Amino acid sequence: MSISHQPVMVDESVNYLVTIPGGIYVDCTVGTGGHSFEICKRMAYGGELICLDIDSSSIRLAEERLSSFKDRIKIIKESYVNLDKVLKGLGISKVNGILLDLGLSSYQLESSGRGFSFLRDEPLDMRMGEERGVTASELINTISVEELQGLLWRYAQERWAKLIARAIVEKRQKEPITSSRQLALLIESTIPTKYHPRKIHPATKTFQSLRIAVNGELQNIESFLEKVPLLLQKGGRLVVISYHSLEDRLVKRAFRSWEKKEIGPRKLPVFHQVHPPLMKESKKGGLRPGQAEVKANPRSRSAIMRTGERV
Ligand code: SAH
């Protein structure tokens, strides 16, 4: 199978990440290995790259693509939430750089057969790691109409959340919703045509919110961000690439809290900042892909990259 996925902001991210060619690095979401390939190219003798992903089929593709770097790479099927445990198991306490490229890969969207795309007719699964937790189909066929509505609003700000949630519940009383096409058609016919968004498919937000819910994506990011500074050496670097504002907000907030541990009453400036900063963000506001990249790879258009260093 050919690899359709183009790594996003690959030069910007890898140039910042790799400071010492003989250092130890982590790619938390190897996918089909786009970023990892570039990281390997910049590493020298003694350098080591640890790659994680929860999707076995992506890992197989990454293994193939990265086979010429076998000597410096370890690919492990594990969630990045457990990065601390993975490193401990390898006898590593701190690393020189950690990359987290969020979202899903074009490979998963187009070729995994798991119902990520509203343009295809596939079983409505949406689990990134094939065997973890409930599928999107199980989710929408069982939860209450209020929970459905809440999820569509919380994870995608879908303005038609109430209407869509009701339509799903009504539909599932007749037959279970089991395919991506079935769901996409249901939403298309539920949102009045004159209100269909102009630039995106009317089912875009529903699909996004289900994917986030099924994979616990925001919880994963939060629990990763709680642990990550302590896994970096002094001067070690963190790069996070997000694809929507809910993800980016968590990263932004984390950088803010690392820079300024506000403990103690605000009135007393002496006690105000008890802890020295843990990490420093390198560019406030984050970085966006250039025009040329967005044109060549539309998937990159929503990307925002935040980078920082352990101090
Ligand atoms: N940078 C990669 C693309 C990453 S796409 C490349 O250039 O090819 C995002 C990847 O994150 C997907 O492969 C997905 O399976 C993986 N992923 C999602 N949740 C994860 C988790 N909790 N732990 C590890 N990987 C995860």
Side-chain angles (χ1 to χ4, degrees), residues 136-151:
S137 168
E138 286 162 354
L139 187 72
I140 62 170
N141 286 305
T142 51
I143 65 177
S144 71
V145 69
E146 292 82 14
E147 284 173 304
L148 256 176
Q149 182 185 342
L151 182 158

Side-chain angles (χ1 to χ4, degrees), residues 28 83 95 98 221-233 237-238 240 254 258 279 310:
C28 290
L83 177 59
V95 301
I98 298 176
I221 297 169
E222 272 188 302
S223 104
F224 168 83
L225 291 170
E226 266 167 33
K227 308 191 229 181
V228 72
L230 301 176
L231 303 175
L232 286 166
Q233 299 191 357
R237 291 181 164 186
L238 173 68
V240 184
W258 294 328
M279 302 265 305
R310 178 76 201 270

Side-chain angles (χ1 to χ4, degrees), residues 16-289:
Y16 182 81
L17 187 76
V18 181
T19 46
I20 306 167
I24 306 176
Y25 296 91
V26 179
D27 182 348
C28 290
T29 51
V30 69
T32 50
H35 286 93
S36 278
F37 191 85
E38 290 303 314
I39 297 172
C40 285
K41 285 207 297 201
R42 286 165 172 81
M43 286 191 322
Y45 180 76
E48 200 178 331
L49 174 64
I50 296 143
C51 298
L52 307 180
D53 207 292
I54 50 175
D55 182 359
S56 323
S57 42
S58 295
I59 287 188
R60 274 195 296 279
L61 291 169
E63 278 169 345
E64 216 170 281
R65 177 158 186 192
L66 300 166
S67 60
S68 52
F69 298 111
K70 264 204 204 103
D71 57 329
R72 61 192 71 170
I73 200 164
K74 276 198 185 71
I75 306 183
I76 300 169
K77 183 166 182 257
E78 185 53 81
S79 168
Y80 63 74
V81 171
N82 298 322
L83 177 59
D84 51 344
K85 297 188 191 93
V86 170
L87 293 179
K88 207 167 171 200
L90 295 169
I92 297 170
S93 65
K94 289 182 166 48
V95 301
N96 301 94
I98 298 176
L99 168 70
L100 178 63
D101 178 25
L102 293 163
L104 82 166
S105 69
S106 314
Y107 158 72
Q108 288 171 318
L109 184 69
E110 286 154 20
S111 322
S112 70
R114 280 179 247 152
F116 288 113
S117 167
F118 40 71
L119 300 174
R120 288 166 205 278
D121 196 10
E122 295 169 350
L124 194 60
D125 182 325
M126 292 202 188
R127 290 169 305 170
M128 302 250 192
E130 311 89 322
E131 63 294 277
R132 292 166 176 254
V134 297
T135 65
S137 168
E138 286 162 354
L139 187 72
I140 62 170
N141 286 305
T142 51
I143 65 177
S144 71
V145 69
E146 292 82 14
E147 284 173 304
L148 256 176
Q149 182 185 342
L151 182 158
L152 290 163
W153 180 253
R154 210 165 45 251
Y155 295 147
Q157 278 80 57
E158 170 59 70
R159 57 187 286 230
W160 300 99
K162 193 170 186 175
L163 201 66
I164 294 172
R166 278 204 205 136
I168 288 174
V169 170
E170 217 168 274
K171 176 85 175 172
R172 78 187 187 195
Q173 280 159 359
K174 292 179 213 128
E175 49 168 351
I177 301 165
T178 56
S179 89
S180 48
R181 165 110 357 116
Q182 201 186 355
L183 179 61
L185 289 175
L186 176 66
I187 294 162
E188 252 183 76
S189 63
T190 300
I191 302 176
T193 317
K194 65 172 176 177
Y195 293 115
H196 281 192
R198 259 187 299 144
K199 290 193 179 154
I200 54 173
H201 188 282
T204 307
K205 291 191 167 189
T206 300
F207 274 62
Q208 174 187 315
S209 60
L210 291 179
R211 201 199 79 210
I212 294 175
V214 163
N215 296 289
E217 292 179 24
L218 301 180
Q219 293 89 323
N220 287 347
I221 297 169
E222 272 188 302
S223 104
F224 168 83
L225 291 170
E226 266 167 33
K227 308 191 229 181
V228 72
L230 301 176
L231 303 175
L232 286 166
Q233 299 191 357
K234 289 217 173 73
R237 291 181 164 186
L238 173 68
V239 176
V240 184
I241 308 175
S242 308
Y243 295 89
H244 54 80
S245 56
L246 296 172
E247 291 175 341
D248 184 55
R249 191 182 305 157
L250 297 177
V251 185
K252 183 165 125 185
R253 214 189 281 155
F255 269 110
R256 204 184 302 143
S257 76
W258 294 328
E259 283 183 13
K260 202 159 131 209
K261 278 255 168 180
E262 286 181 4
I263 302 175
R266 278 174 180 275
K267 275 176 285 180
L268 299 169
V270 185
F271 299 115
H272 191 96
Q273 205 166 318
V274 178
H275 289 303
L278 266 176
M279 302 265 305
K280 205 170 175 319
E281 190 169 6
S282 68
K283 184 161 184 333
K284 292 273 175 281
L287 281 165
R288 299 246 171 210

